[in-house]
Amino acid sequence: MAKIKITQIKSVIDRPKDQKATIVALGLGKISKSVEVENTPQIAGMVKKVNHLVKVEEA
């Protein structure tokens, strides 16, 4: 599987609880924090849910 780099670019303040939980599940939580993960269908679904809060790049 290909790896992707996910970077949080916006705050989770005033966001629904499910979006906050998704950000935590991705290993993020602070603006500018990045993680590299495998691009699985589960991760792709989580990224799609919070795509307005994160930036995604090929790693």
Side-chain angles (χ1 to χ4, degrees):
M1 281 268 161
K3 285 200 164 237
I4 56 172
K5 181 178 179 183
I6 306 169
T7 306
Q8 185 175 348
I9 56 170
K10 289 192 178 178
S11 172
V12 293
I13 294 174
D14 289 338
R15 301 290 176 189
K17 285 183 182 179
D18 60 336
Q19 291 180 9
K20 290 180 183 182
T22 303
I23 289 289
V24 171
L26 286 169
L28 302 171
K30 293 187 177 190
I31 295 175
S32 298
K33 185 169 182 184
S34 297
V35 293
E36 283 192 21
V37 293
E38 294 288 333
N39 191 11
T40 63
Q42 294 83 5
I43 296 293
M46 292 196 303
V47 168
K48 184 177 178 184
K49 185 171 190 129
V50 293
N51 66 348
H52 56 289
L53 302 175
V54 298
K55 177 176 72 171
V56 181
E57 307 167 337
E58 295 289 329

